Amino acid sequence: MTTFGLRKASALPGFRVTLGVTLAYLSLVVLIPLAATFLKTATLDGARFVSIVTAPLVLAAYRLTFGAAALAALINLVFGLLVAWVLVRYPFPGRRLVDAVVDLPFALPTSVAGISLAAVYAESGWIGRWFAPLGVKIAFGPLGVLVALTFIGLPFVVRTVQPILEEFEREQEEAAACLGATRAQTFARVVLPALAPALATGFALAFARALGEYGSVIFIAGNIPMKSEVISLLVVTKLEQYDYAGATALAVVMLIASFVMLFLINALQWRWQRRLSAPRTPARSNQATQGVTATSATSAGSATGGSR
Amino acid sequence: MSDAVTIPGASARVRPEALRRANEPRALRWALTAGALAFLGLFLVVPLVAVFDEALSKGLSFYFSSLADPDARAAIVLTLTVALIAVPSNVVFGLAASWAIAKFEFRGKALLTTLIDLPFSVSPVISGLVYVLLFGAQGWFGPWLAAHDVQIVFAVPGIVLATIFVTFPFVARELIPLMQAQGAEEEEAARVLGASAWQMWRRVTLPNVKWGLLYGVILCNARAMGEFGAVSVVSGHIRGQTDTMPLAVEILYNDYNFAAAFALASLLALIALVTLGLKVFAERRLAAAAIAHR
């Protein structure tokens, strides 16, 4: 049987046409352009490639991008769990509105987010002015990068944890309490392990998104060479200088990083679904896995979605 | 799960105390709620309000005159045009892909599903760059395009292509899980009862997925109108010609024309708010449809 051949006969029409359209469109829009980028790098000789991707300016950009992305994902891990917890467990007036607002970073164009964050976190801005007397400069430096990456990664952890928390049976917590556990023990030993895969996925999604972020970062970063330049900005700078070889080399490094992240996220979700479906009755597990697929679809969808 | 730990007879006595211990004290609840709201306030609400505050900082008349500026109007028209091409193409693709993937079993299905998601994991800057490398002056097809006087990169076609790339998965990935969950029985029944392929799709499939489709279209459109990184790389930044709204915001901002930049940004922020509202609406309809379908 060949690849993309039907495994079993179906009474439904349209398989060949729809699959043909899908493969043609996917190849034209995504696969061929991406493959062309890798081919372009192959025209560079090895030593040249290495010297481009390990230049001091580039190394500083890796450090900032990976560091700030990890830190921002960590902030979102903690506060995303907090927000999901409050939204699921504590009814308060305006909860539905707050729930809708969480998706703002997916919907707001990144250039709008960028100029607005820069205005708010600048020394004279609404939030920046409270930090300025303390000698903390947020906008136009590395801290600004952290703020922007926290903003764009904010919905990921909330949206992966929220549905799992909603499905979580309170009886498990009550049982732990009955058996003498304190609230903190119950949280650490019963609730947190159940949420761990969702937390890990949310963290990975936020981190992956932050690695390639451009729009929201460049306005608030100040873009000081060696200090607050992210990798995506270096790609654009090289393009503007008509250094296509340099831009392509960096792009390939970034592409490999994002493919590794994609692989990790898929592996995480695969394990998560198996774990969810293992101990439960068939009907229950089916529902749970569906919940997960739907979430990962919407979260990662809007996720990397929104507007960069 | 609960029956595994319920102790008959004893549970009635233990339960109230356990319930108390299975909940956080009131003070902690307040503190956690306040913490969550403060975080969202600092990172989401304050910047959102600031967009409108800055936009109106020079008064209403300046606000409207900066939106009526020819370059701003051209940017608005271009943004709408790009979305009007990119969103329908991805809807057609999404409907085709979800039909093939959700209703049939074939080899390579998992791989195909992963490949459809690929654009989401690619940095927006690189999503633009790939088209420059393909169609730019130094790109694979550059010389041929130049010889035939066709310009793709640094012109509107490039902007459309980059937008299609970044919004590629939205519709498909909403429809695939939805159509998989619904199965193929209803369509098969329609065929058995003599419906043509078109009748079956129009009367059975489409009504079943319409809210999921709407949901995907809303997200796809928001991203198409708001895309910055990818479009920035292929646009060439010709004022009044190849500037979409998000790009025009950047240009005005870099010209220190802050009030005008924020005025245009406020329109995009309004689109974002409408998107969020429609999204909540579509989500509720989807949930209601899922319950009705069960």
Side-chain angles (χ1 to χ4, degrees):
Chain A
M1 206 187 289
T2 53
T3 310
F4 299 124
L6 262 187
R7 273 183 196 274
K8 68 173 192 222
S10 168
L12 294 179
F15 175 67
R16 282 176 177 217
V17 180
T18 52
L19 187 69
V21 168
T22 305
L23 289 176
Y25 192 72
L26 177 72
S27 307
L28 283 176
V29 175
V30 180
L31 299 183
I32 294 174
L34 281 178
T37 307
F38 278 95
L39 279 177
K40 192 89 183 170
T41 331
T43 60
L44 274 177
D45 72 281
R48 177 91 196 283
F49 179 83
V50 171
S51 79
I52 291 171
V53 301
T54 57
L57 197 68
V58 176
L59 290 180
Y62 293 145
R63 269 196 298 277
L64 174 72
T65 311
F66 282 89
L71 211 54
L74 201 64
I75 294 173
N76 279 322
L77 185 71
V78 175
F79 284 94
L81 173 61
L82 175 65
V83 169
W85 182 269
V86 168
L87 283 176
V88 173
R89 291 290 172 93
Y90 306 152
F92 60 89
R95 179 164 72 163
R96 283 184 152 175
L97 187 69
V98 173
D99 188 62
V101 166
V102 168
D103 283 329
L104 185 72
F106 289 161
L108 196 68
T110 46
S111 63
V112 176
I115 63 170
S116 175
L117 287 171
V120 167
Y121 284 88
E123 269 172 54
S124 58
W126 287 349
I127 296 174
R129 74 174 61 151
W130 299 97
F131 288 89
L134 308 171
V136 180
K137 194 175 159 230
I138 300 180
F140 314 121
L143 272 181
V145 177
L146 184 64
V147 167
L149 296 184
T150 306
F151 173 86
I152 53 126
L154 196 147
F156 291 95
V157 176
V158 182
R159 292 301 184 228
T160 44
V161 170
Q162 205 174 10
I164 306 302
L165 203 53
E166 269 162 7
E167 293 261 310
F168 190 77
E169 286 143 343
R170 292 299 296 268
E171 286 87 346
Q172 293 190 39
E173 291 166 63
E174 286 163 20
C178 282
L179 297 170
T182 65
R183 190 64 190 139
Q185 282 173 324
T186 306
F187 182 77
R189 305 230 182 130
V190 177
V191 181
L192 217 46
L195 298 181
L199 284 167
T201 307
F203 178 88
L205 286 169
F207 179 72
R209 167 74 203 262
L211 282 185
E213 180 58 21
Y214 176 70
S216 61
V217 175
I218 56 162
F219 295 99
I220 197 176
N223 306 326
I224 310 155
M226 302 296 295
K227 247 187 94 182
S228 63
E229 281 185 329
V230 292
I231 306 177
S232 54
L233 176 78
L234 288 187
V235 174
V236 173
T237 315
K238 283 185 188 295
L239 266 181
E240 280 167 359
Q241 294 160 351
Y242 302 103
D243 176 9
Y244 288 96
T248 314
L250 286 188
V252 164
V253 173
M254 286 177 75
L255 276 176
I256 292 171
S258 38
F259 291 160
V260 169
M261 285 309 296
L262 182 69
F263 176 78
L264 279 177
I265 292 165
N266 275 346
L268 263 173
Q269 283 181 341
W270 183 74
R271 280 195 52 172
W272 177 15
Q273 285 176 22
R274 275 208 337 177
R275 193 159 140 184
L276 267 181
S277 42
R280 307 200 178 190
T281 61
R284 191 89 189 82
S285 75
N286 192 18
Q287 199 188 346
T289 1
Q290 263 177 33
V292 173
T293 351
T295 335
S296 60
T298 26
S299 66
S302 344
T304 350
S307 29
R308 299 199 203 189
Chain B
M1 272 292 160
S2 61
D3 30 15
V5 283
T6 306
I7 308 150
S11 65
R13 226 166 356 102
V14 182
R15 219 172 155 79
E17 206 267 347
L19 266 180
R20 189 178 59 74
R21 270 204 299 173
N23 282 299
E24 294 78 52
R26 183 177 283 266
L28 184 60
R29 284 169 160 253
W30 278 101
L32 291 177
T33 310
L37 292 180
F39 175 69
L40 294 178
L42 281 180
F43 280 96
L44 299 183
V45 181
V46 171
L48 180 65
V49 174
V51 172
F52 294 98
D53 181 68
E54 296 273 351
L56 296 171
S57 62
K58 287 195 181 170
L60 269 177
S61 61
F62 182 89
Y63 178 80
F64 286 113
S65 71
S66 58
L67 290 182
D69 177 82
D71 284 353
R73 281 210 310 248
I76 294 170
V77 170
L78 181 59
T79 296
L80 294 175
T81 312
V82 169
L84 268 176
I85 303 170
V87 176
S89 348
N90 283 335
V91 166
V92 171
F93 161 74
L95 288 170
S98 57
W99 180 258
I101 290 175
K103 306 287 183 185
F104 299 92
E105 289 304 321
F106 58 93
R107 241 167 225 272
K109 188 157 130 170
L111 176 70
L112 183 60
T113 315
T114 310
L115 288 178
I116 287 175
D117 278 347
L118 207 54
F120 277 163
S121 43
V122 173
S123 164
V125 166
I126 294 171
S127 313
L129 174 77
V130 294
Y131 291 108
V132 176
L133 295 179
L134 221 48
F135 302 120
Q138 302 193 7
W140 295 102
F141 300 113
W144 187 88
L145 289 171
H148 291 78
D149 206 23
V150 181
Q151 194 167 14
I152 293 184
V153 167
F154 308 133
V156 177
I159 297 176
V160 172
L161 274 175
T163 306
I164 290 180
F165 184 101
V166 293
T167 57
F168 184 84
F170 278 108
V171 178
R173 72 175 308 159
E174 287 312 321
L175 290 182
I176 292 168
L178 184 63
M179 283 169 68
Q180 268 172 339
Q182 287 172 351
E185 287 89 350
E186 291 185 26
E187 278 89 356
E188 281 162 4
R191 290 293 279 175
V192 169
L193 295 172
S196 70
W198 167 252
Q199 283 174 322
M200 169 211 70
W201 186 80
R202 177 72 191 77
R203 305 245 182 104
V204 178
T205 312
L206 197 58
N208 273 342
V209 300
K210 63 181 177 205
W211 298 115
L213 181 62
L214 176 71
Y215 190 87
V217 167
I218 292 164
L219 295 179
C220 184
N221 180 61
R223 180 77 194 265
M225 289 190 169
E227 177 54 28
F228 176 74
V231 170
S232 165
V233 170
V234 294
S235 137
H237 305 279
I238 307 161
R239 275 180 212 222
Q241 285 182 40
T242 63
D243 267 334
T244 60
M245 288 166 77
L247 295 177
V249 167
E250 183 197 22
I251 289 195
L252 290 167
Y253 186 84
N254 288 344
D255 284 349
Y256 299 100
N257 197 347
F258 295 131
F262 277 102
L264 207 51
S266 73
L267 280 190
L268 288 165
L270 276 179
I271 294 173
L273 289 177
V274 171
T275 301
L276 290 184
L278 283 172
K279 191 167 165 282
V280 170
F281 170 75
E283 270 164 356
R284 282 193 195 151
R285 284 310 184 98
L286 257 177
I291 290 167
H293 209 268
R294 208 166 275 167

